[in-house]
């Protein structure tokens, strides 16, 4: 990512020498993103929390501040790729590292949104090169359906613009050689659409085939083996935007998943 763009992000993204607790969420995007951040920071940033968008779980109590990974927290540090503003003038989280916030994208210009993964955002921010193999690049595009916008004609130029901004234009050739069905088959093959949850032993479990995709990545990926304890229960709600939201102070995370539909967690 170009220096002038990177400088628009919150300054905490450069604090890789400070210990932070990462908050892992429930999909493959956040899982590999957390693994990469642990590698980038030499272990200074480590997974200590799990957030399933309903409840918070913690491995151990620390004095470290937190960083959410692939979640649109409204008040605290996070990496995110969602839309969290209904209008361009809405209040936003200044601690959120999100290209949609950098470019002031809201429901009013929803179709211009950054439509690729949080993983690709993090890779670009920290100048991580693309996987060496074609297969690795394909897996990267399959995560969080980062390929989809390219195959929708009216959005293709927007998708290409985002790839240019990330500095990953070499992915365009791969997208030209494949089609949407090819990538959905990859998602099915590796169970990339599967979620993770806490099992009866208080450990994380998932049907994502981490072992099968590990060879495509330089950092070690997978699920943490530690036990996690429930520390906070919350409420998860999804509805159309004409329905009034709770007070902002009560909302923990919020994402507009369509221009007229919102999903959020609140106290």
């Amino acid at each position: 990512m170009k220096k002038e763009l990177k400088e628009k992000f919150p300054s905490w993204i450069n604090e890789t020498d400070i210990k932070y607790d990462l908050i892992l969420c429930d999909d493959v995007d956040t899982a590999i993103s957390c693994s990469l951040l642990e590698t980038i920071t030499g272990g200074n940033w480590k997974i200590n929390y799990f957030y399933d968008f309903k409840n918070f779980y913690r491995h151990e109590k620390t004095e470290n501040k937190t960083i959410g990974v692939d979640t649109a927290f409204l008040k605290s540090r996070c990496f995110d790729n969602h839309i969290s503003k209904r209008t361009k003038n809405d209040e936003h989280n200044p601690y959120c590292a999100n290209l949609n916030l950098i470019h002031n994208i809201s429901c009013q210009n929803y179709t211009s949104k950054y439509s690729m993964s949080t993983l690709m955002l993090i890779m670009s921010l920290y100048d991580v090169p693309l996987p060496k193999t074609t297969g690795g690049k394909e897996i990267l595009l399959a995560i969080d359906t980062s390929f989809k916008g390219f195959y929708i004609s009216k959005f293709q130029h927007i998708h290409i613009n985002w790839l240019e901004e990330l500095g990953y234009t070499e992915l365009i050739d791969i997208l030209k050689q494949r089609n949407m069905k090819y990538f959905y088959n990859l998602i099915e093959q590796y169970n990339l659409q599967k979620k993770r949850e806490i099992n009866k032993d208080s450990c994380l479990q998932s049907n994502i085939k981490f072992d099968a995709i590990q060879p495509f990545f330089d950092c070690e990926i997978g699920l943490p083996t530690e036990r996690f304890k429930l520390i906070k229960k919350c409420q998860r709600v999804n509805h159309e935007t004409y329905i009034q939201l709770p007070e902002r102070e009560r909302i923990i995370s919020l994402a507009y998943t369509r221009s007229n539909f919102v999903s959020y967690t609140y106290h």
Side-chain angles (χ1 to χ4, degrees):
M1 185 179 291
K2 292 181 179 178
K3 182 181 177 182
E4 56 267 29
L5 178 60
K6 194 181 299 186
E7 288 175 346
K8 296 179 181 180
F9 281 80
S11 60
W12 62 260
I13 68 167
N14 300 311
E15 296 173 349
T16 55
D17 58 335
I18 296 175
K19 291 191 179 298
Y20 279 104
D21 287 348
L22 297 178
I23 302 176
L24 174 75
C25 297
D26 65 355
D27 67 6
V28 69
D29 191 7
T30 179
I32 301 179
S33 293
C34 282
S35 296
L36 179 60
L37 288 170
E38 288 189 0
T39 299
I40 289 170
T41 65
N44 285 325
W45 299 4
K46 295 184 67 173
I47 297 169
N48 193 41
Y49 291 83
F50 174 62
Y51 174 50
D52 62 4
F53 298 95
K54 292 180 290 186
N55 303 306
F56 284 90
Y57 301 82
R58 183 177 62 207
H59 168 52
E60 61 182 357
K61 191 171 183 179
T62 72
E63 299 300 320
N64 301 334
K65 295 178 180 178
T66 61
I67 299 172
V69 183
D70 193 34
T71 184
F73 287 135
L74 292 195
K75 299 174 185 176
S76 56
R77 297 170 184 80
C78 57
F79 292 98
D80 185 45
N81 64 345
H82 300 92
I83 299 289
S84 56
K85 295 173 63 175
R86 188 174 181 186
T87 75
K88 292 184 178 182
N89 296 321
D90 280 356
E91 185 179 354
H92 71 278
N93 176 9
Y95 301 106
C96 180
N98 184 336
L99 278 168
N100 291 312
L101 291 179
I102 297 296
H103 290 283
N104 199 19
I105 296 173
S106 67
C107 290
Q108 292 177 317
N109 55 343
Y110 193 89
T111 56
S112 297
K113 66 176 285 191
Y114 171 73
S115 56
M116 282 163 274
S117 64
T118 297
L119 174 60
M120 288 179 68
L121 167 65
I122 291 170
M123 288 174 60
S124 181
L125 275 172
Y126 295 100
D127 300 319
V128 176
L130 292 171
K132 297 179 180 66
T133 66
T134 298
K137 295 179 178 73
E138 290 172 350
I139 293 294
L140 184 62
L141 285 164
I143 292 170
D144 210 24
T145 61
S146 296
F147 59 88
K148 190 174 180 179
F150 183 83
Y151 300 110
I152 302 173
S153 57
K154 63 181 178 180
F155 301 133
Q156 188 180 85
H157 69 286
I158 296 171
H159 193 271
I160 290 173
N161 285 342
W162 284 118
L163 285 173
E164 290 173 346
E165 187 152 306
L166 293 174
Y168 294 145
T169 53
E170 63 186 276
L171 294 175
I172 297 171
D173 287 339
I174 291 176
L175 289 163
K176 287 179 179 178
Q177 296 164 16
R178 306 289 184 257
N179 56 36
M180 199 179 294
K181 183 179 179 181
Y182 179 88
F183 285 104
Y184 276 117
N185 286 340
L186 278 183
I187 290 171
E188 291 292 329
Q189 179 181 348
Y190 296 110
N191 286 344
L192 300 182
Q193 79 282 16
K194 299 295 184 179
K195 302 295 185 181
R196 67 179 53 81
E197 59 188 6
I198 299 288
N199 64 20
K200 60 181 177 61
D201 297 318
S202 301
C203 294
L204 285 166
Q205 65 179 21
S206 175
N207 290 322
I208 299 168
K209 297 180 180 179
F210 287 109
D211 288 346
I213 62 174
Q214 176 64 79
F216 297 115
F217 294 92
D218 291 332
C219 64
E220 185 176 346
I221 62 175
L223 295 179
T225 57
E226 293 83 1
R227 294 175 184 268
F228 288 80
K229 181 180 178 181
L230 177 66
I231 59 169
K232 179 186 279 190
K233 291 186 176 182
C234 309
Q235 295 292 321
R236 181 70 169 170
V237 180
N238 310 278
H239 58 69
E240 294 182 337
T241 52
Y242 71 83
I243 299 173
Q244 187 171 355
L245 296 171
E247 299 86 354
R248 186 178 176 88
E249 291 70 27
R250 296 175 60 197
I251 299 175
I252 298 167
S253 64
L254 177 148
Y256 290 97
T257 53
R258 299 194 299 272
S259 62
N260 62 349
F261 198 84
V262 65
S263 182
Y264 59 93
T265 301
Y266 71 103
H267 298 289

